[in-house]
Amino acid sequence: MYRSLYVLLLMAMMAFVMPSCSDDDDFTMSPGNLLTFSQDTVSLDTIFSRVPTATKTFWVYNKSGSGIRCTNIRLEKGNQTGFRVNVDGSYLGASDGFMVNDIEVRNRDSIRVFVELTSPANNKDVPTLLTENLIFNLESGAQQKVCLQAFTWDADMYDNMIVSEDKTIESTKPIIIYGGITVEEGATLTLKAGTTLYFHENAGIDVYGRLLVEGTVDNNVILRGDRIDRMFDYLPYDRVSGQWQGIKIHESSYDNLIEYADIHSTYNGIVCDSSDVSRLKLNLYNSVIHNCQGYGLLSIHSVVDVVNCQITNTLNDCVAFYGGVGRVMQSTIAQFYPYDANRGAALRFANIKDDQVLPLYDFSCINSIVTGYADDVVMGEADSTANYKFSFDHCMLRTPAIEDTINIKNVIWEDPEDTVTVYGHKHFRVFDTENLIYDFRLDSLSTAIGKALPLESLPFDRLGIRRDEEPDLGCYEYVKEN
């Protein structure tokens, strides 16, 4: 009896399964049976021409009820656009042909399509839309298509640029740097307003001679990584730290000027090597250093001025002075690095580094905001055997209060336990840690408003806004939002 029931059950299951298998193997010739695509347009955003893109993918589904054969899948414009496509393991592109034949998509099955692009030059100074259609010709005679598109942007490209004599770079086109830029001793590299340099992963600027960055309030010089695609749909690579190597100013280099520069998403923003403290190493004016995987500004036994600058969100210290002479004036230094809780200080000033004594002849901080996540983001480190001179005047500091009326005057101490006063990230207008979007202009609630010492030498903030009779701390004067 049990054997009979088992046989009947097995036969019923086979009767159920066999028609299903038959349906999967049945290929339709009806024009009404069509494929379904996960997206009808695949966009690669804005890309550099002649530079291979990252890979985008989409899915091709068969939900029609019967198998579908594609007699061919082809790029409509052939090999003229630079698109490369992999369809179910078969390649379409300039070197592999632009068509594949006899692709089957069984009922309730799918295939994945991979799309890349190396576009030709468009000979224009602005991004230009490049389109292509991936055509699916079905055995039934029906035709379907998926649009492939990207904005392609011509760029000038340099590999291991050596500046051995004075050189000026001025361009409205993007400039991609592979291998890096070396400014040799005795030579000056000048970057003019409105120029943007896109550095490849291992590239940066090594300065043995002199660097002049001559941005303006309306046309900053932008130094950034060369990835203009996205890590995730919501996150461009440009918001990710460590995309390039930054600027290193070597021992032999003096009298560097960086004004109205936007330096971001690098490893170290600027590193100044130990040098003769009777000579100026660097004037850093009206600039931004943001989102670094190392230091923002590291000065080792050098003379460095930082005026009207924003230096924010770094894995190591945002600003560190080890010896030498340093001045921070009317600047915003904020340590809210999002990727690692073991982040450095916002500001460090010391006369010793790695057991090496480096006299700190003079360090001053005026009209500045120094804040961050931690309860104490201002670090002073002293060896009693060497010079250690410092002063703070009209500043807001996130550090425990210090009784020192000689070196510290008119300082507002951020108390993390104070739940009434606005401190930390609440000073600032936009603080979006999920999408890594920050705007360090002052919010209307900030207690830094109206607390600065009026300085005739700095009538305008970093954005060219005139400071009023009761100016604000930091590099941005508060302006009421519309």
Side-chain angles (χ1 to χ4, degrees), residues 197-409:
L197 300 185
Y198 294 81
F199 291 86
H200 199 57
E201 180 181 5
N202 294 318
I205 304 178
D206 282 282
V207 184
Y208 297 89
R210 189 180 182 210
L211 175 65
L212 300 179
V213 177
E214 298 178 347
T216 65
V217 65
D218 296 317
N219 284 294
N220 281 202
V221 171
I222 300 174
L223 307 178
R224 52 156 294 171
D226 69 341
R227 294 292 299 267
I228 58 176
D229 54 328
R230 294 174 176 267
M231 176 177 282
F232 307 111
D233 287 343
Y234 73 93
L235 183 62
Y237 273 99
D238 194 38
R239 295 184 207 153
V240 179
S241 62
Q243 294 296 301
W244 60 291
Q245 294 302 303
I247 301 171
K248 185 168 185 180
I249 302 176
H250 292 264
E251 180 181 358
S252 58
S253 177
Y254 295 95
D255 298 320
N256 297 281
L257 170 65
I258 299 177
E259 186 167 20
Y260 288 109
D262 178 352
I263 302 167
H264 64 269
S265 299
T266 180
Y267 186 74
N268 290 315
I270 302 174
V271 174
C272 295
D273 273 353
S274 181
S275 57
D276 180 356
V277 294
S278 68
R279 300 181 62 184
L280 175 69
K281 189 79 167 178
L282 170 65
N283 278 330
L284 180 65
Y285 295 159
N286 302 302
S287 294
V288 170
I289 300 174
H290 177 68
N291 194 26
C292 303
Q293 201 173 349
Y295 289 93
L297 169 65
L298 172 60
S299 173
I300 303 174
H301 202 256
S302 298
V303 179
V304 175
D305 274 2
V306 180
V307 181
N308 248 4
C309 289
Q310 172 197 317
I311 305 179
T312 47
N313 294 20
T314 65
L315 176 57
N316 294 331
D317 304 331
C318 291
V319 176
F321 287 93
Y322 288 98
V325 178
R327 179 178 67 155
V328 176
M329 180 176 290
Q330 204 79 60
S331 292
T332 299
I333 303 172
Q335 177 56 295
F336 298 104
Y337 187 71
Y339 305 108
D340 194 328
N342 192 30
R343 60 186 74 84
L347 173 64
R348 189 182 304 272
F349 52 100
N351 66 1
I352 186 169
K353 186 180 191 310
D354 301 328
D355 297 325
Q356 179 184 5
V357 175
L358 300 166
L360 185 67
Y361 295 106
D362 189 22
F363 169 75
S364 62
C365 186
I366 302 170
N367 279 3
S368 296
I369 299 172
V370 185
T371 189
Y373 276 131
D375 293 347
D376 188 358
V377 298
V378 182
M379 299 294 172
E381 299 170 357
D383 184 293
S384 60
T385 63
N387 290 61
Y388 188 67
K389 182 181 178 182
F390 70 92
S391 64
F392 289 89
D393 188 5
H394 285 80
C395 292
M396 179 168 287
L397 306 178
R398 191 174 181 87
T399 189
I402 299 172
E403 294 295 332
D404 182 346
T405 57
I406 298 175
N407 300 308
I408 300 174
K409 300 176 182 179

Side-chain angles (χ1 to χ4, degrees), residues 46-47 122 124-129 151-154:
T46 300
I47 66 165
N122 60 43
K124 296 181 180 178
D125 289 340
V126 295
T128 302
L129 182 63
F151 282 91
T152 68
W153 199 5
D154 281 3

Side-chain angles (χ1 to χ4, degrees), residues 44-63:
L44 282 79
D45 300 317
T46 300
I47 66 165
F48 293 125
S49 57
R50 300 176 290 159
V51 177
T53 69
T55 302
K56 289 287 188 78
T57 70
F58 69 95
W59 289 92
V60 180
Y61 302 104
N62 183 359
K63 304 176 182 179

